[in-house]
Amino acid sequence: MTNINNENIKKVNEYLKDKKNILIITHYNPDGDAVGSSLALYSFFKNKGFNVDVIVPNEYPKFLHWLPYNDKIIIFNSNKKLIKNKLKKANLLFFIDFNVLDRIQGMHSLIKQTNIPKILIDHHPEPENSFDITISSTVVSSTAELLYEFMTKLSGEESIDQSIAECLYTGIMTDTGSFSYNSSLPDTYYVVSKLLEKGIDKDKIYWNVYDNYSTDRMRLLGYCLNKKMKVIPEYATAYISISADELKSFNYRPGDSEGFVNFPLSIKGIVFSAIFIEREDHIKISFRSKGSFNANKFAENHFNGGGHKNAAGGYSEQTMDKARGKFVGLLAEYKDKLLNKRI
């Protein structure tokens, strides 16, 4: 594995010599890779005697609450005063699984006011120039995979214990859709094999994440597939849309719609899928694709977003009807690429 150059490892080691209070921060609406990676890094530094805190901007899915050290996570939206005090004492910041400071939303203004050294560890393309050290690779499956390399280069293979391995495996598994995308390189499976050597139970991890949903979530999924999924075969596309009222009627909790965007891709001939979810002041959109169609570029060019080739996200500040209309209207422009069956 050669995703992290030795010069960056040396720089991190220099920072760690005299900085003992570390904050680990991940992005708004954190997913399995964000939470798993953050908790893995927390455990890594805690084992070395550092004072460490993990901060997430808002609530995250209940199916991740089983992870080791989950109880150490501080949620910014409900602990702003505490986090402001933590920032005053911190002397090193790690930003995990995002590459633009806007992704931490309300925390952004607080971070801008500090002169604390900032280290980015991430796998998304085109990181902004806001960090003192940028450790970034788009080749890896996930930030968790990149963190494995970071930890072992910093402190050796023996620094990865079972708790760290569970967190890293969760990050890799969730960010690859259980190894169905972003997972074509041998290095990913090498890392997985090393994590399995630590004694983790991969089946238990899978059950904890994917077989741990509420009844309301399952009913919401059924409703979306039966009533809210639109299939557009002439463009090899399907999409789902959910209003705020509909979410409320199913007692929606953060993470309940996780993975819904993948289901339309199970339809024969569908290569592009989207889900539109109404939030208080915007429409949150997720995109998934198969084969050669670049969901990342589509999100970046039209919906203020980005991500990976086959998995991306964005948003619209228009109404639901206008956001959906824009999406459908764009498909003709991409018809040739959508119908290119290089799967």
Side-chain angles (χ1 to χ4, degrees), residues 27-293:
H27 58 77
Y28 192 82
N29 289 332
D31 55 9
D33 192 21
V35 176
S37 294
S38 296
L39 289 174
L41 194 60
Y42 169 90
S43 182
F44 176 80
F45 283 128
K46 199 70 177 175
N47 290 346
K48 293 181 173 300
F50 290 90
N51 300 316
V52 198
D53 288 292
V54 176
I55 299 171
V56 302
N58 63 329
E59 293 284 350
Y60 56 100
K62 293 288 186 184
F63 58 77
L64 297 172
H65 286 204
W66 64 272
L67 282 164
Y69 302 109
N70 170 75
D71 60 327
K72 303 300 182 183
I73 290 177
I74 305 172
I75 298 172
F76 173 73
N77 281 353
S78 51
N79 295 279
K80 293 181 180 179
K81 185 176 180 180
L82 173 63
I83 289 170
K84 287 178 182 178
N85 289 331
K86 295 280 186 185
L87 272 170
K88 290 176 182 177
K89 297 176 182 178
N91 44 36
L92 190 59
L93 303 178
F94 278 85
F95 297 92
I96 303 300
D97 196 42
F98 67 98
N99 57 7
V100 180
L101 283 177
D102 282 347
R103 290 295 313 279
I104 56 177
Q105 294 205 353
M107 291 186 63
H108 187 190
S109 58
L110 287 179
I111 298 299
K112 285 176 69 176
Q113 296 170 24
T114 73
N115 293 316
I116 308 169
K118 302 173 182 65
I119 298 174
L120 173 74
I121 304 179
D122 179 56
H123 71 132
H124 296 91
E126 301 175 5
E128 69 180 14
N129 187 26
S130 300
F131 310 96
D132 297 281
I133 299 176
T134 296
I135 296 173
S136 176
S137 172
T138 59
V139 174
V140 296
S141 67
S142 53
T143 296
E145 182 182 334
L146 190 61
L147 266 176
Y148 174 86
E149 182 178 348
F150 172 77
M151 293 174 183
T152 54
K153 284 191 172 181
L154 204 62
S155 299
E157 174 67 31
E158 63 277 7
S159 65
I160 310 291
D161 63 19
Q162 186 171 320
S163 292
I164 293 172
E166 285 182 333
C167 293
L168 293 179
Y169 184 86
T170 300
I172 296 170
M173 180 187 72
T174 54
D175 232 36
T176 60
S178 296
F179 307 96
S180 63
Y181 50 80
N182 295 341
S183 55
S184 297
L185 296 179
D187 276 355
T188 301
Y189 298 93
Y190 170 80
V191 172
V192 167
S193 73
K194 301 304 286 185
L195 298 178
L196 290 169
E197 288 177 5
K198 301 297 179 178
I200 66 172
D201 185 337
K202 73 172 186 63
D203 296 331
K204 182 179 178 181
I205 292 172
Y206 181 92
W207 297 333
N208 281 338
V209 173
Y210 294 114
D211 296 339
N212 199 16
Y213 296 127
S214 68
T215 302
D216 287 326
R217 190 263 187 192
M218 296 303 291
R219 294 190 190 284
L220 174 62
L221 172 60
Y223 173 75
C224 287
L225 296 178
N226 186 36
K227 300 292 186 180
K228 302 308 302 279
M229 183 174 67
K230 305 296 182 183
V231 181
I232 312 174
E234 62 268 31
Y235 296 126
T237 296
Y239 70 90
I240 294 168
S241 60
I242 318 172
S243 73
D245 286 341
E246 287 169 321
L247 292 176
K248 186 176 180 180
S249 71
F250 286 93
N251 301 309
Y252 179 85
R253 295 291 181 269
D256 277 357
S257 60
E258 187 81 16
F260 284 16
V261 68
N262 296 313
F263 281 90
L265 291 179
S266 300
I267 301 171
K268 183 177 180 180
I270 298 301
V271 301
F272 188 35
S273 172
I275 187 168
F276 299 78
I277 301 176
E278 186 179 30
R279 300 300 191 205
E280 185 176 342
D281 58 357
H282 68 283
I283 306 297
K284 179 181 180 289
I285 314 170
S286 295
F287 303 98
R288 295 292 185 272
S289 67
K290 287 181 180 178
S292 60
F293 188 75

